[in-house]
Amino acid sequence: MCGITGVYAFTENGRVALNRLQGAVASLRHRGPDAGGVYLHGRVGLGNRRLSIIAPGEQANQPLTSDDGRYTVVFNGEIFNYKQLRAELASKGYTLSTASDTEVLLRLYERERQECLKKLKGFFAVAIYDKAEDSLFVARDRFGEKPLLYYKDANAFLFGSEMVALLELGVPQELDYASLYQYLQLTYTPAPATMLKHVKKLLPGQALYIRGGRVQESVWYRLSFDGEKAAQNPMPFKLQQEKLRQLLQQAVADRMVADVPVGAFLSGGLDSSIVVALAASQASSLKTFSVGFPEQPRFDETAYARLVAEKYKTEHTELLLSNQDLYQHLHDMLNSLSEPLADSSALAVYALSKRASQDVKVVLSGDGADELFAGYNKHRAEYRASQGGFAVGAVTKLQPLWEVLPKSRSSFTANKVRQLQRFAAGARLSPEDRYWLWASWLQEEQALALLKPEHRTAAQNRLYHARKSRLLNCISRNHYDMNNVLCADWHMVLANDMLAKVDLMGMAHGVEVRSPYLDNRLVKFAFSLPVASKIDEHAQKRILRETFKHLLPEELWKRGKQGFEVPLLSFLRSEGRSRVNECLSDAFIIEQGIFEVQQTRLIRQALELGKGLTTQTSAWSLLVFQHWWKHSSLK
């Protein structure tokens, strides 16, 4: 695991960025505190900060150059099957000088070029310079576990693991209003867009080949998903369970590969608990880490996590956070964001990663299971909406009532009203419009109203609609069922919110987060399963629950889904209130010239009164954006 950055200059003016490369590398030190280095040759510069996990000796430091001097690589990630691939290379007569997975990748590329990526089990962002061709190859893993951003103009191609590296290299700092518009709705900016107009994210499974002044795009991996074929899958449920058991056990075993201690995040939910149960059988002593909020019992799952930790005798740590604790982490957490990401649970992941970093460099997580096996509340809602019936009709007809009743995520009753209101609004819509509504925190007209009138045309332009259409591609296919929703979530929510969050928060403290549910063999299998294997009238994540319930305490596998959240409203109305008032003050909003001051004033007032369903999310999204805007010195 590392941070990488680099420059490929097309002109003399482009070479100016080479002088800034050391600064770009330094900006990524948090991603790789163990070592750093720079490679320079002619028009090309590559930089790396290393977190040493496999072959931690100096020989494996990066940039790493082949023995003949032709190829040089910078690599962020892990290849779990590197020992098998190393043996394959040895059988072909290759001699490797280090024990690292980075050199294995370099030699594979030398032999097979882009095709070598298909052999890799793991996650990565990689850049390889070929001195003989004077070419640069850049690629990202299958599902977007490791980030890579890039910028191209007539003078240079620049790339980096985080936006901060590109800012150090001197990219133009022009705000993309279409991205801001999507961010205000979703709380993140879906790839390939970023919050800066000319900076892009490399898509998962995508590669770039740069030579001379040309940049060629290619796709080396696409998610294998055929909804109609999955619906007709004839495999009996018991055989599906056996296959899932084998795949997940192997995925966990693969992700235990490291030359440093491996721990696990344990939320108390089904997904991470299964991972811990399987990992504990493969480790003599497994360290587990949970976070809780004793002042807000509704958001605290530590009791369930403790049951799993006790069952498997892990070395368990509970991090108990108050609103004051959250506030103490706030500034540093916001500084660690590559671009605005307003998933409020990032604050808890940041704090938990900081604590875990005292004991381990690697942690396992349960990310991806909800998107594979229909674990979110919106999946239950989609299932019921598609089934129809009297109850659906009754809830829909009562929409005027749900609109006027108090709604909040902070109490059971108010949260249930919130869910009924969103269900009633979505059940009337087409699948595409329903998906977008239930994926969003603000509706389009609400997000647009937050922007000053002169920016609204730039926000809701043809580019915005093209991006939205691409994100809904899974929903728009001829065959439609729950698997289409899961496909869309996999590409949009998981890749751009969940994985970005755990990467940034973990790497802020030099902690690598690995999820067995993102194993490509497991993912391919999960998307081949019919909807009935994942959700029915009685259960969500049915196959996961039924296959592994014997490993878990009964209290855990019988409970319903509880999202991993922080007590956001309570925090924003107490310790976080001063930051909201500062970022949304009338004077600053007017001087900044982006947002409509009447709207931000209403958000401040509603937050003080504890009113408005969308108030806390809007306030948090704006706070995160404003901090990033100031921290990045945008104008």
Side-chain angles (χ1 to χ4, degrees):
M1 182 70 75
C2 304
I4 64 174
T5 185
V7 177
Y8 186 106
F10 302 137
T11 66
E12 284 301 314
N13 287 338
R15 289 175 184 256
V16 172
L18 293 170
N19 300 326
R20 299 173 175 150
L21 188 57
Q22 287 283 6
V25 172
S27 74
L28 297 173
R29 191 182 189 283
H30 56 281
R31 296 188 68 91
D34 297 327
V38 168
Y39 168 87
L40 294 170
H41 177 77
R43 69 168 85 204
V44 171
L46 302 177
N48 172 272
R49 286 297 315 186
R50 186 181 182 210
L51 177 66
S52 305
I53 291 175
I54 292 175
E58 292 183 5
Q59 276 190 315
N61 285 349
Q62 301 178 40
L64 186 67
T65 299
S66 59
D67 291 339
D68 62 3
R70 175 172 176 175
Y71 298 97
T72 300
V73 62
V74 285
F75 173 67
N76 170 28
E78 307 293 344
I79 302 171
F80 303 128
N81 62 331
Y82 78 99
K83 290 183 179 179
Q84 297 94 311
L85 295 172
R86 182 187 181 91
E88 177 186 316
L89 287 167
S91 70
K92 304 290 184 182
Y94 286 83
T95 302
L96 280 71
S97 57
T98 76
S100 72
D101 55 346
T102 304
E103 187 181 10
V104 170
L105 172 57
L106 185 62
R107 290 303 187 94
L108 282 173
Y109 181 79
E110 178 183 346
R111 183 168 175 261
E112 302 177 25
R113 311 296 283 187
Q114 178 174 311
E115 285 299 304
C116 75
L117 300 180
K118 297 177 182 178
K119 292 184 174 182
L120 307 183
K121 297 176 184 176
F123 48 74
F124 54 85
V126 61
I128 300 175
Y129 175 61
D130 182 340
K131 185 191 292 186
E133 286 188 356
D134 195 23
S135 65
L136 181 67
F137 175 74
V138 178
R140 194 177 180 198
D141 63 57
R142 293 172 178 86
F143 307 126
E145 293 183 71
K146 294 296 105 189
L148 194 73
L149 293 80
Y150 69 95
Y151 166 84
K152 175 188 176 294
D153 63 13
N155 294 310
F157 173 88
L158 314 174
F159 70 89
S161 295
E162 296 184 16
M163 184 74 79
V164 63
L166 292 175
L167 292 173
E168 286 287 340
L169 292 174
V171 299
Q173 298 180 30
E174 183 179 353
L175 188 63
D176 186 329
Y177 280 93
S179 292
L180 177 56
Y181 182 37
Q182 280 196 329
Y183 165 79
L184 292 172
Q185 295 172 60
L186 302 171
T187 72
Y188 55 88
T189 304
T194 72
M195 199 59 77
L196 294 186
K197 196 168 187 178
H198 302 290
V199 177
K200 294 183 179 180
K201 302 184 189 88
L202 193 63
L203 288 168
Q206 189 178 41
L208 302 176
Y209 178 76
I210 302 98
R211 188 176 185 183
R214 298 184 60 194
V215 178
Q216 295 178 321
E217 297 182 6
S218 62
V219 176
W220 70 270
Y221 174 84
R222 282 189 176 89
L223 177 65
S224 177
F225 170 60
D226 184 331
E228 189 170 1
K229 186 176 179 181
Q232 299 170 1
N233 188 334
M235 182 182 290
F237 188 68
K238 286 191 177 297
L239 289 182
Q240 293 176 22
Q241 287 182 280
E242 182 57 34
K243 181 73 170 177
L244 174 61
R245 185 179 297 109
Q246 293 172 359
L247 288 171
L248 190 53
Q249 285 175 337
Q250 186 60 54
V252 171
D254 288 346
R255 281 152 187 80
M256 299 291 286
V257 172
D259 294 327
V260 296
V262 177
F265 287 157
L266 179 57
S267 70
L270 183 71
D271 312 328
S272 63
S273 297
I274 291 171
V275 169
V276 166
L278 295 175
S281 67
Q282 302 178 37
S284 57
S285 178
L286 183 69
K287 295 180 184 292
T288 53
F289 305 88
S290 297
V291 63
F293 306 96
E295 295 176 352
Q296 301 282 335
R298 174 171 159 72
F299 297 90
D300 195 322
E301 295 184 275
T302 51
Y304 294 101
R306 201 176 305 128
L307 288 173
V308 177
E310 290 171 353
K311 180 177 177 66
Y312 290 100
K313 297 179 173 55
T314 68
E315 295 183 41
H316 189 55
T317 298
E318 290 182 0
L319 180 66
L320 303 179
L321 299 176
S322 64
N323 282 342
Q324 182 60 40
D325 295 325
L326 290 175
Y327 186 76
Q328 289 176 353
H329 288 294
L330 179 62
H331 184 80
D332 290 341
M333 186 281 286
L334 292 173
N335 282 346
S336 71
L337 294 175
S338 178
E339 62 176 339
L341 175 64
D343 183 333
S344 59
S345 66
L347 196 49
V349 179
Y350 179 89
L352 191 61
S353 297
K354 184 176 183 178
R355 174 59 188 87
S357 70
Q358 299 174 24
D359 297 322
V360 296
K361 285 187 175 182
V362 179
V363 292
L364 306 183
S365 80
D367 292 293
D370 285 319
E371 291 83 0
L372 287 178
F373 301 110
Y376 292 131
N377 289 332
K378 67 177 182 179
H379 297 147
R380 167 60 61 194
E382 175 64 32
Y383 179 83
R384 287 176 174 159
S386 65
Q387 297 295 304
F390 174 79
V392 171
V395 171
T396 304
K397 287 179 180 178
L398 288 172
Q399 185 175 359
L401 175 63
W402 314 133
E403 295 288 352
V404 298
L405 289 175
K407 294 173 283 292
S408 169
R409 301 177 74 88
S410 300
S411 73
F412 176 82
T413 302
N415 189 49
K416 186 59 65 177
V417 173
R418 178 191 69 84
Q419 292 173 338
L420 290 169
Q421 184 271 332
R422 282 176 67 82
F423 180 85
R428 302 172 182 270
L429 302 176
S430 68
E432 292 90 346
D433 289 340
R434 180 166 63 246
Y435 180 85
W436 194 259
L437 174 68
W438 288 349
S440 301
W441 295 88
L442 283 185
Q443 296 182 35
E444 289 181 321
E445 59 270 21
Q446 294 172 311
L448 201 63
L450 281 172
L451 299 175
K452 292 190 71 176
E454 57 264 38
H455 301 312
R456 292 172 188 171
T457 300
Q460 201 176 41
N461 56 16
R462 285 190 297 176
L463 179 60
Y464 165 79
H465 290 290
R467 290 175 181 174
K468 180 179 176 181
S469 178
R470 187 188 68 81
L471 293 168
L472 293 172
N473 179 57
C474 287
I475 306 295
S476 305
R477 301 183 184 185
N478 291 333
H479 177 88
Y480 177 79
D481 61 20
M482 179 64 72
N483 271 324
N484 296 74
V485 173
L486 301 182
C487 173
D489 281 348
W490 190 264
H491 288 294
M492 190 170 92
V493 181
L494 180 73
N496 297 290
D497 181 354
M498 306 304 176
L499 297 184
K501 174 182 65 181
V502 297
D503 174 79
L504 289 168
M505 298 302 97
M507 293 310 296
H509 303 291
V511 173
E512 175 178 287
V513 182
R514 303 174 173 180
S515 176
Y517 295 104
L518 274 73
D519 181 272
N520 64 293
R521 297 157 296 182
L522 176 60
V523 172
K524 182 179 180 180
F525 172 70
F527 274 105
S528 76
L529 297 176
V531 171
S533 296
K534 303 178 181 183
I535 185 171
D536 61 17
E537 192 63 37
H538 307 289
Q540 292 175 249
K541 293 190 280 197
R542 177 182 169 229
I543 188 171
L544 197 64
R545 195 178 300 271
E546 292 296 321
T547 303
F548 295 103
K549 67 180 182 181
H550 67 286
L551 297 178
L552 305 177
E554 185 177 358
E555 300 95 321
L556 193 143
W557 65 261
K558 281 190 171 182
R559 67 188 291 244
K561 170 71 175 177
Q562 179 172 333
F564 182 58
E565 301 180 64
V566 298
L568 184 60
L569 181 60
S570 171
F571 172 70
L572 291 176
R573 296 190 68 206
S574 54
E575 279 77 3
R577 184 173 178 177
S578 61
R579 291 298 294 268
V580 173
N581 289 337
E582 174 190 344
C583 290
L584 300 187
S585 70
D586 286 358
F588 179 61
I589 293 294
I590 292 169
E591 178 188 359
Q592 184 186 37
I594 295 175
F595 300 107
E596 177 56 56
V597 68
Q598 297 288 350
Q599 293 294 317
T600 56
R601 188 180 300 151
L602 288 173
I603 289 172
R604 290 202 323 270
Q605 293 170 352
L607 191 63
E608 290 175 5
L609 297 172
K611 293 182 177 180
L613 173 62
T614 61
T615 298
Q616 65 186 49
T617 303
S618 297
W620 178 252
S621 297
L622 290 169
L623 186 157
V624 171
F625 176 86
Q626 298 291 64
H627 182 94
W628 174 82
W629 191 86
K630 290 180 178 180
H631 188 64
S632 301
S633 302
L634 263 66
K635 299 297 180 186

Short mmCIF file of all heavy atoms in Angstrom, two decimals, residues 492-533:
data_model
loop_
_atom_site.label_atom_id
_atom_site.label_comp_id
_atom_site.label_asym_id
_atom_site.label_seq_id
_atom_site.Cartn_x
_atom_site.Cartn_y
_atom_site.Cartn_z
N MET A 492 -21.77 2.69 -8.44
CA MET A 492 -21.92 4.08 -8.00
C MET A 492 -21.62 4.25 -6.52
O MET A 492 -20.71 4.99 -6.13
CB MET A 492 -23.32 4.59 -8.32
CG MET A 492 -23.47 6.10 -8.11
SD MET A 492 -25.03 6.76 -8.74
CE MET A 492 -26.05 6.64 -7.28
N VAL A 493 -22.37 3.58 -5.66
CA VAL A 493 -22.27 3.81 -4.22
C VAL A 493 -20.98 3.20 -3.66
O VAL A 493 -20.21 3.87 -2.96
CB VAL A 493 -23.49 3.24 -3.48
CG1 VAL A 493 -23.39 3.51 -1.99
CG2 VAL A 493 -24.78 3.82 -4.05
N LEU A 494 -20.75 1.93 -3.95
CA LEU A 494 -19.57 1.27 -3.39
C LEU A 494 -18.28 1.92 -3.88
O LEU A 494 -17.42 2.29 -3.09
CB LEU A 494 -19.57 -0.22 -3.76
CG LEU A 494 -18.37 -1.01 -3.22
CD1 LEU A 494 -18.49 -1.21 -1.72
CD2 LEU A 494 -18.24 -2.35 -3.93
N ALA A 495 -18.15 2.08 -5.20
CA ALA A 495 -16.89 2.55 -5.77
C ALA A 495 -16.58 4.00 -5.39
O ALA A 495 -15.41 4.35 -5.19
CB ALA A 495 -16.92 2.40 -7.29
N ASN A 496 -17.61 4.83 -5.27
CA ASN A 496 -17.37 6.27 -5.11
C ASN A 496 -17.56 6.79 -3.70
O ASN A 496 -17.05 7.86 -3.37
CB ASN A 496 -18.29 7.04 -6.06
CG ASN A 496 -18.00 6.73 -7.51
OD1 ASN A 496 -16.96 7.13 -8.04
ND2 ASN A 496 -18.90 6.01 -8.17
N ASP A 497 -18.29 6.05 -2.87
CA ASP A 497 -18.51 6.45 -1.49
C ASP A 497 -17.77 5.52 -0.54
O ASP A 497 -16.78 5.90 0.10
CB ASP A 497 -20.01 6.45 -1.19
CG ASP A 497 -20.35 6.88 0.24
OD1 ASP A 497 -19.43 7.08 1.05
OD2 ASP A 497 -21.55 7.01 0.55
N MET A 498 -18.20 4.27 -0.46
CA MET A 498 -17.68 3.35 0.56
C MET A 498 -16.18 3.09 0.42
O MET A 498 -15.43 3.17 1.40
CB MET A 498 -18.45 2.03 0.51
CG MET A 498 -19.95 2.17 0.62
SD MET A 498 -20.45 3.06 2.12
CE MET A 498 -22.22 3.17 1.87
N LEU A 499 -15.73 2.78 -0.79
CA LEU A 499 -14.32 2.45 -0.97
C LEU A 499 -13.44 3.68 -0.86
O LEU A 499 -12.32 3.61 -0.34
CB LEU A 499 -14.11 1.75 -2.31
CG LEU A 499 -14.82 0.40 -2.46
CD1 LEU A 499 -14.46 -0.25 -3.79
CD2 LEU A 499 -14.48 -0.54 -1.31
N ALA A 500 -13.93 4.81 -1.36
CA ALA A 500 -13.16 6.06 -1.21
C ALA A 500 -13.01 6.40 0.27
O ALA A 500 -11.94 6.82 0.72
CB ALA A 500 -13.86 7.19 -1.96
N LYS A 501 -14.08 6.21 1.02
CA LYS A 501 -14.06 6.52 2.46
C LYS A 501 -13.03 5.67 3.20
O LYS A 501 -12.18 6.22 3.93
CB LYS A 501 -15.45 6.29 3.04
CG LYS A 501 -15.54 6.43 4.55
CD LYS A 501 -16.96 6.13 5.04
CE LYS A 501 -17.35 4.69 4.78
NZ LYS A 501 -18.73 4.38 5.23
N VAL A 502 -13.08 4.35 3.04
CA VAL A 502 -12.17 3.51 3.81
C VAL A 502 -10.72 3.67 3.36
O VAL A 502 -9.79 3.57 4.17
CB VAL A 502 -12.59 2.02 3.78
CG1 VAL A 502 -13.94 1.83 4.43
CG2 VAL A 502 -12.59 1.45 2.38
N ASP A 503 -10.51 3.95 2.06
CA ASP A 503 -9.14 4.18 1.61
C ASP A 503 -8.58 5.46 2.22
O ASP A 503 -7.49 5.45 2.80
CB ASP A 503 -9.08 4.27 0.09
CG ASP A 503 -7.69 4.65 -0.40
OD1 ASP A 503 -6.82 3.77 -0.45
OD2 ASP A 503 -7.46 5.85 -0.70
N LEU A 504 -9.31 6.55 2.12
CA LEU A 504 -8.80 7.83 2.60
C LEU A 504 -8.65 7.85 4.12
O LEU A 504 -7.65 8.35 4.64
CB LEU A 504 -9.73 8.96 2.16
CG LEU A 504 -9.72 9.29 0.66
CD1 LEU A 504 -10.88 10.20 0.31
CD2 LEU A 504 -8.40 9.93 0.27
N MET A 505 -9.64 7.31 4.83
CA MET A 505 -9.57 7.34 6.29
C MET A 505 -8.51 6.37 6.82
O MET A 505 -7.80 6.67 7.78
CB MET A 505 -10.94 7.00 6.89
CG MET A 505 -12.05 7.98 6.52
SD MET A 505 -11.74 9.70 7.00
CE MET A 505 -11.11 10.40 5.47
N GLY A 506 -8.39 5.20 6.19
CA GLY A 506 -7.35 4.27 6.60
C GLY A 506 -5.97 4.80 6.30
O GLY A 506 -5.07 4.80 7.15
N MET A 507 -5.78 5.28 5.07
CA MET A 507 -4.45 5.73 4.66
C MET A 507 -4.03 7.03 5.33
O MET A 507 -2.84 7.36 5.35
CB MET A 507 -4.40 5.88 3.14
CG MET A 507 -4.51 4.56 2.39
SD MET A 507 -3.37 3.30 2.99
CE MET A 507 -1.80 4.05 2.58
N ALA A 508 -4.98 7.77 5.89
CA ALA A 508 -4.61 8.95 6.67
C ALA A 508 -3.73 8.56 7.86
O ALA A 508 -2.96 9.39 8.38
CB ALA A 508 -5.86 9.66 7.17
N HIS A 509 -3.81 7.28 8.26
CA HIS A 509 -3.03 6.79 9.39
C HIS A 509 -2.13 5.62 9.01
O HIS A 509 -1.65 4.89 9.88
CB HIS A 509 -3.97 6.36 10.52
CG HIS A 509 -4.87 7.46 10.98
ND1 HIS A 509 -4.43 8.56 11.66
CD2 HIS A 509 -6.21 7.64 10.81
CE1 HIS A 509 -5.44 9.37 11.91
NE2 HIS A 509 -6.53 8.84 11.41
N GLY A 510 -1.90 5.43 7.71
CA GLY A 510 -1.04 4.34 7.27
C GLY A 510 -1.63 2.97 7.55
O GLY A 510 -0.91 2.03 7.89
N VAL A 511 -2.96 2.84 7.39
CA VAL A 511 -3.64 1.56 7.60
C VAL A 511 -4.28 1.12 6.29
O VAL A 511 -5.04 1.88 5.68
CB VAL A 511 -4.72 1.66 8.69
CG1 VAL A 511 -5.55 0.38 8.77
CG2 VAL A 511 -4.09 1.95 10.04
N GLU A 512 -3.98 -0.09 5.87
CA GLU A 512 -4.56 -0.66 4.65
C GLU A 512 -5.82 -1.44 5.01
O GLU A 512 -5.77 -2.33 5.87
CB GLU A 512 -3.55 -1.57 3.97
CG GLU A 512 -4.10 -2.30 2.76
CD GLU A 512 -3.03 -3.17 2.10
OE1 GLU A 512 -2.14 -2.58 1.46
OE2 GLU A 512 -3.09 -4.40 2.24
N VAL A 513 -6.93 -1.13 4.34
CA VAL A 513 -8.20 -1.82 4.59
C VAL A 513 -8.47 -2.78 3.44
O VAL A 513 -8.46 -2.39 2.27
CB VAL A 513 -9.36 -0.81 4.72
CG1 VAL A 513 -10.66 -1.55 5.04
CG2 VAL A 513 -9.05 0.22 5.81
N ARG A 514 -8.71 -4.05 3.79
CA ARG A 514 -8.96 -5.09 2.79
C ARG A 514 -10.33 -5.72 3.04
O ARG A 514 -10.61 -6.13 4.17
CB ARG A 514 -7.91 -6.19 2.87
CG ARG A 514 -6.47 -5.75 2.72
CD ARG A 514 -5.52 -6.92 2.98
NE ARG A 514 -4.13 -6.59 2.70
CZ ARG A 514 -3.12 -7.45 2.85
NH1 ARG A 514 -3.36 -8.68 3.30
NH2 ARG A 514 -1.88 -7.08 2.57
N SER A 515 -11.15 -5.83 2.02
CA SER A 515 -12.45 -6.49 2.16
C SER A 515 -12.50 -7.77 1.35
O SER A 515 -12.40 -7.72 0.12
CB SER A 515 -13.59 -5.57 1.73
OG SER A 515 -14.82 -6.29 1.81
N PRO A 516 -12.70 -8.91 1.99
CA PRO A 516 -12.83 -10.17 1.25
C PRO A 516 -14.01 -10.20 0.30
O PRO A 516 -13.99 -10.95 -0.69
CB PRO A 516 -13.01 -11.21 2.37
CG PRO A 516 -12.38 -10.59 3.58
CD PRO A 516 -12.68 -9.13 3.45
N TYR A 517 -15.05 -9.41 0.56
CA TYR A 517 -16.22 -9.42 -0.31
C TYR A 517 -15.93 -8.81 -1.68
O TYR A 517 -16.75 -8.92 -2.59
CB TYR A 517 -17.38 -8.66 0.35
CG TYR A 517 -17.89 -9.32 1.60
CD1 TYR A 517 -17.57 -8.81 2.86
CD2 TYR A 517 -18.67 -10.47 1.55
CE1 TYR A 517 -18.03 -9.42 4.02
CE2 TYR A 517 -19.14 -11.09 2.70
CZ TYR A 517 -18.81 -10.55 3.93
OH TYR A 517 -19.26 -11.16 5.08
N LEU A 518 -14.77 -8.19 -1.84
CA LEU A 518 -14.40 -7.62 -3.13
C LEU A 518 -13.49 -8.54 -3.94
O LEU A 518 -12.94 -8.13 -4.96
CB LEU A 518 -13.73 -6.25 -2.94
CG LEU A 518 -14.71 -5.08 -2.85
CD1 LEU A 518 -15.46 -5.08 -1.53
CD2 LEU A 518 -14.00 -3.75 -3.03
N ASP A 519 -13.36 -9.77 -3.52
CA ASP A 519 -12.63 -10.76 -4.31
C ASP A 519 -13.35 -10.95 -5.64
O ASP A 519 -14.57 -11.17 -5.66
CB ASP A 519 -12.58 -12.08 -3.54
CG ASP A 519 -11.83 -13.15 -4.29
OD1 ASP A 519 -12.47 -13.86 -5.10
OD2 ASP A 519 -10.62 -13.28 -4.08
N ASN A 520 -12.64 -10.87 -6.75
CA ASN A 520 -13.31 -10.85 -8.06
C ASN A 520 -14.03 -12.16 -8.36
O ASN A 520 -15.07 -12.17 -9.04
CB ASN A 520 -12.33 -10.50 -9.17
CG ASN A 520 -11.23 -11.52 -9.36
OD1 ASN A 520 -10.38 -11.69 -8.49
ND2 ASN A 520 -11.23 -12.20 -10.50
N ARG A 521 -13.53 -13.28 -7.84
CA ARG A 521 -14.24 -14.55 -8.06
C ARG A 521 -15.55 -14.58 -7.29
O ARG A 521 -16.58 -15.06 -7.79
CB ARG A 521 -13.34 -15.72 -7.61
CG ARG A 521 -12.05 -15.85 -8.41
CD ARG A 521 -10.99 -16.58 -7.63
NE ARG A 521 -10.58 -15.84 -6.44
CZ ARG A 521 -9.64 -16.24 -5.59
NH1 ARG A 521 -9.01 -17.37 -5.80
NH2 ARG A 521 -9.34 -15.50 -4.53
N LEU A 522 -15.53 -14.04 -6.07
CA LEU A 522 -16.75 -13.97 -5.26
C LEU A 522 -17.76 -13.01 -5.88
O LEU A 522 -18.97 -13.30 -5.93
CB LEU A 522 -16.39 -13.52 -3.84
CG LEU A 522 -17.55 -13.29 -2.87
CD1 LEU A 522 -18.37 -14.56 -2.69
CD2 LEU A 522 -17.04 -12.80 -1.53
N VAL A 523 -17.28 -11.88 -6.38
CA VAL A 523 -18.17 -10.89 -7.00
C VAL A 523 -18.84 -11.48 -8.24
O VAL A 523 -20.06 -11.33 -8.44
CB VAL A 523 -17.38 -9.62 -7.36
CG1 VAL A 523 -18.25 -8.66 -8.18
CG2 VAL A 523 -16.89 -8.93 -6.09
N LYS A 524 -18.07 -12.14 -9.07
CA LYS A 524 -18.63 -12.76 -10.27
C LYS A 524 -19.71 -13.78 -9.91
O LYS A 524 -20.79 -13.82 -10.53
CB LYS A 524 -17.52 -13.44 -11.08
CG LYS A 524 -18.00 -14.07 -12.38
CD LYS A 524 -16.84 -14.69 -13.15
CE LYS A 524 -17.32 -15.33 -14.45
NZ LYS A 524 -16.19 -15.94 -15.21
N PHE A 525 -19.45 -14.57 -8.89
CA PHE A 525 -20.43 -15.57 -8.45
C PHE A 525 -21.68 -14.90 -7.91
O PHE A 525 -22.81 -15.29 -8.23
CB PHE A 525 -19.80 -16.47 -7.38
CG PHE A 525 -20.78 -17.41 -6.74
CD1 PHE A 525 -21.30 -18.48 -7.45
CD2 PHE A 525 -21.18 -17.22 -5.42
CE1 PHE A 525 -22.22 -19.35 -6.86
CE2 PHE A 525 -22.09 -18.08 -4.82
CZ PHE A 525 -22.61 -19.15 -5.55
N ALA A 526 -21.52 -13.88 -7.07
CA ALA A 526 -22.67 -13.22 -6.45
C ALA A 526 -23.59 -12.61 -7.50
O ALA A 526 -24.82 -12.67 -7.37
CB ALA A 526 -22.20 -12.15 -5.48
N PHE A 527 -23.02 -12.04 -8.56
CA PHE A 527 -23.85 -11.43 -9.60
C PHE A 527 -24.44 -12.47 -10.55
O PHE A 527 -25.22 -12.11 -11.44
CB PHE A 527 -23.07 -10.37 -10.36
CG PHE A 527 -23.12 -9.02 -9.69
CD1 PHE A 527 -22.02 -8.54 -8.98
CD2 PHE A 527 -24.26 -8.26 -9.73
CE1 PHE A 527 -22.07 -7.31 -8.35
CE2 PHE A 527 -24.33 -7.03 -9.09
CZ PHE A 527 -23.22 -6.55 -8.39
N SER A 528 -24.10 -13.73 -10.36
CA SER A 528 -24.73 -14.80 -11.16
C SER A 528 -25.93 -15.40 -10.44
O SER A 528 -26.64 -16.23 -11.01
CB SER A 528 -23.71 -15.91 -11.46
OG SER A 528 -23.48 -16.72 -10.31
N LEU A 529 -26.18 -14.98 -9.19
CA LEU A 529 -27.24 -15.57 -8.39
C LEU A 529 -28.58 -14.89 -8.64
O LEU A 529 -28.64 -13.68 -8.85
CB LEU A 529 -26.90 -15.46 -6.90
CG LEU A 529 -25.66 -16.21 -6.42
CD1 LEU A 529 -25.41 -15.93 -4.95
CD2 LEU A 529 -25.79 -17.71 -6.68
N PRO A 530 -29.67 -15.64 -8.56
CA PRO A 530 -31.00 -15.04 -8.71
C PRO A 530 -31.36 -14.20 -7.49
O PRO A 530 -30.80 -14.38 -6.40
CB PRO A 530 -31.92 -16.25 -8.85
CG PRO A 530 -31.21 -17.35 -8.13
CD PRO A 530 -29.75 -17.11 -8.37
N VAL A 531 -32.29 -13.29 -7.68
CA VAL A 531 -32.70 -12.39 -6.60
C VAL A 531 -33.18 -13.17 -5.38
O VAL A 531 -32.89 -12.81 -4.23
CB VAL A 531 -33.81 -11.45 -7.10
CG1 VAL A 531 -34.42 -10.66 -5.95
CG2 VAL A 531 -33.26 -10.50 -8.16
N ALA A 532 -33.88 -14.28 -5.59
CA ALA A 532 -34.45 -15.05 -4.48
C ALA A 532 -33.38 -15.58 -3.53
O ALA A 532 -33.66 -15.87 -2.37
CB ALA A 532 -35.28 -16.21 -5.02
N SER A 533 -32.15 -15.72 -4.00
CA SER A 533 -31.07 -16.18 -3.13
C SER A 533 -30.58 -15.06 -2.21
O SER A 533 -29.89 -15.34 -1.22
CB SER A 533 -29.90 -16.69 -3.97
OG SER A 533 -30.28 -17.82 -4.72
#
